[in-house]
Amino acid sequence: RKEVEQDPGPFNVPEGATVAFNCTYSNSASQSFFWYRQDCRKEPKLLMSVYSSGNEDGRFTAQLNRASQYISLLIRDSKLSDSATYLCVVNQAAGNKLTFGGGTRVLVKP
Amino acid sequence: EAGVTQFPSHSVIEKGQTVTLRCDPISGHDNLYWYRRVMGKEIKFLLHFVKESKQDESGMPNNRFLAERTGGTYSTLKVQPAELEDSGVYFCASSQFEGGYGGYTFGSGTRLTVV
C-alpha cells in the first residue's frame, strides 16, 4: 500500500463548477499536511497547508480528517487556470522528509 | 527574493558518465532537500541538509549518489557512474523552518536523461 494515495483523475470540470478530491495517508503519526500544485513540466508550488480545523484560502478549502486519515481539497468556481496536477504531501512523523502522492489531475474546460 | 535555483535545467549523458547537479537555496534557508521523480512515479525524498550537515540521507538510492553542501550554502548532487534508471527530474527545495511550516520552496528541477 502506498504511503500517500490519490485518485490520479483526470477530473474534467466545467468552468465555474466545484470539484473536490481526497487523499489518504497510511501513517497515523503524520504531523503536517499540504496541497501542492504542479503545472506540466514545472516544479511543485505550495497551494496551502492543511490544518486540523480546516482552512480556506479564497476559492480553495482544505480539510483534514485524522480519524479516517485523509485530507481533502475543494475548489469552488473553477477557473481555466486551475487546470493542474494537485499533489497531496505529508510530513511523516520522523524527520522532515515529505511524502508525495502521485497527484490528481484537474482539467477545467470552458 | 530570489527563489531556489537549479543548474542545469536539462542534462543528457551516457550510461557510465558522471553528472553533477547544483542547487542554490533561498538565502537564509538552513534546510535544503533533494527529491526526484522518475517516470511514472511519485516524487521521492533523497536527502535533507541542515546547513552543511546531512540530517537525513535515507532516500539516497545507492552509493553512486553523493550530495554535498560545503559551507552550508549551495549543494551539489553527483551521480557517478550514471545508470539508465537514474533518469528523471531532480528537484531541490529549501525551507526556513524544519517540519515544513511555512512551506518548502522548490526549484524548477534538473531533467536528467541517461542514454
Side-chain angles (χ1 to χ4, degrees), chain A residues 38-44, chain B residues 10 39 89 91 108-109 111 113:
Chain A
Q38 187 173 28
D39 294 291
C40 188
R41 300 178 81 86
K42 299 284 189 180
E43 72 274 21
Chain B
H10 293 82
M39 183 70 74
V89 182
F91 290 107
S108 56
R111 187 171 296 274
T113 304

Side-chain angles (χ1 to χ4, degrees), chain B residues 17-50:
Chain B
Q17 289 186 321
T18 297
V19 63
T20 300
L21 314 180
R22 172 169 169 147
C23 169
D24 287 74
I26 291 174
S27 178
H29 281 194
D30 289 340
N31 296 279
L32 186 150
Y33 313 83
W34 284 98
Y35 288 81
R36 78 170 177 179
R37 183 174 210 158
V38 297
M39 183 70 74
K41 299 289 182 78
E42 303 83 17
I43 297 172
K44 294 258 188 206
F45 169 84
L46 295 178
L47 87 160
H48 169 212
F49 283 99
V50 177

Side-chain angles (χ1 to χ4, degrees), chain A residues 2-4 31-32 34 36 38 41-46 49 51 85 87 91 94-103, chain B residues 10 31 33 35 37 42-45 48 55-56 58-59 91 97-109 111:
Chain A
K2 291 182 180 178
E3 293 176 272
V4 179
Q31 296 184 338
S32 47
F34 310 90
Y36 276 74
Q38 187 173 28
R41 300 178 81 86
K42 299 284 189 180
E43 72 274 21
K45 292 186 178 177
L46 179 65
S49 301
Y51 304 116
T85 296
L87 301 170
N91 193 343
N96 293 282
K97 58 186 177 185
L98 301 179
T99 301
F100 285 77
Chain B
H10 293 82
N31 296 279
Y33 313 83
Y35 288 81
R37 183 174 210 158
E42 303 83 17
I43 297 172
K44 294 258 188 206
F45 169 84
H48 169 212
Q55 185 80 0
D56 180 353
S58 61
F91 290 107
F97 305 109
E98 293 191 30
Y101 301 104
Y104 297 70
T105 302
F106 282 81
S108 56
R111 187 171 296 274

